[in-house]
Amino acid sequence: MQQKLRERRERAALTEIEARLGELRTGRAMDTYAVPGWVGDAVSRTWDIFTEPLDRLPDDTPPARLDAWMEELLVAHGVTDRVFVASHLKILPWLECRVPAHGWTARVREAIEEPWMFLSGALDAIVIVTESEYFYEAHLGRGDGS
C-alpha cells in the first residue's frame, strides 16, 4: 500500500517536472540500471567533505548569473545538446533533455530541486551543482575516473 502511494506521489511529481521542462524534455529517460557505475561514485564524491569543488559561486548571486555560470560549466565540460537530468524520482531517475546553447538551466532549476545533476548524452561526464552554506558548488565527474 505504501509503495502504491509513493508511486502515485512520484507520478504526480514527474508530471509537474515534465510540464515545467516543456520542450526541453525528449520523452526518453534512463533508469538506475542503465546508468554507468562511475556516476554513483562521482555523486558520492560530491558529498565527501574532503572533495574540493571544481568551482564556487556565492549563494547570493542573482539567478540569471547562476544560470549563466551553470551553462558555462556544462559547455566547458561537454555536457551539451542531449543531456540527462537527475529527477530525484525512483520511477524515472534520469530524464533526457535536448538543450539549446543558452537560456535553459532556469527551467531545470524551476522544475527540479537541487542538487542539479547533468549527465552527458555520451555518458562520459557529469556536472553536479549543489547549494552549500554560503556557496553554490560545482563538481565534475568523468567516466575515466577523473
Side-chain angles (χ1 to χ4, degrees):
M1 180 70 138
Q2 285 190 2
Q3 182 175 347
K4 285 186 179 189
L5 287 173
R6 181 184 55 80
E7 285 179 15
R8 184 180 303 195
R9 282 191 300 268
E10 285 206 348
R11 290 199 188 287
L14 178 61
T15 298
E16 187 172 325
I17 288 169
E18 288 179 323
R20 289 183 177 186
L21 289 175
E23 75 280 352
L24 295 178
R25 177 95 165 84
T26 67
R28 291 185 285 248
M30 185 169 41
D31 67 25
T32 303
Y33 303 107
V35 177
W38 67 265
V39 171
D41 295 338
V43 172
S44 294
R45 278 193 307 276
T46 299
W47 304 119
D48 184 336
I49 63 170
F50 299 109
T51 301
E52 283 295 317
L54 172 70
D55 199 4
R56 281 192 173 122
L57 195 66
D59 66 356
D60 61 354
T61 298
R65 178 62 194 125
L66 172 61
D67 294 330
W69 176 72
M70 289 172 61
E71 290 173 9
E72 290 164 8
L73 287 167
L74 293 165
V75 168
H77 297 287
V79 184
T80 59
D81 188 36
R82 185 176 65 97
V83 303
F84 291 95
V85 177
S87 71
H88 308 299
L89 301 173
K90 289 184 180 184
I91 57 172
L92 276 182
W94 293 92
L95 307 175
E96 186 184 65
C97 294
R98 182 149 320 268
V99 297
H102 303 289
W104 61 274
T105 54
R107 302 227 5 227
V108 171
R109 287 190 311 99
E110 291 169 5
I112 299 170
E113 62 188 43
E114 67 90 21
W116 301 292
M117 295 187 262
F118 305 92
L119 180 60
S120 67
L123 307 179
D124 62 353
I126 187 169
V127 174
I128 303 166
V129 177
T130 64
E131 187 174 5
S132 66
E133 191 171 4
Y134 308 116
F135 293 98
Y136 289 103
E137 296 183 343
H139 296 266
L140 173 67
R142 293 221 175 261
D144 61 9
S146 60

